[in-house]
Amino acid sequence: MRSRIERIVIISDDCVESGGAAGVAIESARMLRSLGFPVTFLTGDDGANPSLEAAGIDIVALGGANLLEGARIRAALRGLYDSRAHAFLQSWISANDTP
């Protein structure tokens, strides 16, 4: 017996179609939503993507800056571990995860 899928969550650095992983994540979100699955898109950027919103995809954004902006050493450290992103994801999962 298959269990009912309550929600599909996609996590991506950004929600701009820039190719690569972001492009795959965005297209996957659209395709899954078109099949009738509820989809939430967690993104590290500002979450501005009208096409995802129009498709009925929930967007939850961290509002972070591009990794390459700012001081190089800070960007390198943030690229290895971003405590804001960790807290953002942990908080959302704690509030929304289901069995």
Side-chain angles (χ1 to χ4, degrees), residues 16-83:
V16 175
E17 296 185 60
S18 56
V24 171
I26 291 166
E27 189 58 27
S28 296
R30 283 192 195 114
M31 291 173 66
L32 290 163
R33 185 66 193 117
S34 74
L35 293 172
F37 294 106
V39 176
T40 297
F41 198 89
L42 301 180
T43 180
D45 64 6
D46 63 5
N49 187 322
S51 70
L52 290 179
E53 290 177 22
I57 296 166
D58 297 327
I59 301 171
V60 182
L62 172 61
N66 186 306
L67 184 62
L68 299 178
E69 293 176 7
R72 287 184 182 192
I73 190 72
R74 185 178 300 139
L77 292 173
R78 202 171 72 232
L80 293 172
Y81 179 76
D82 186 337
S83 60

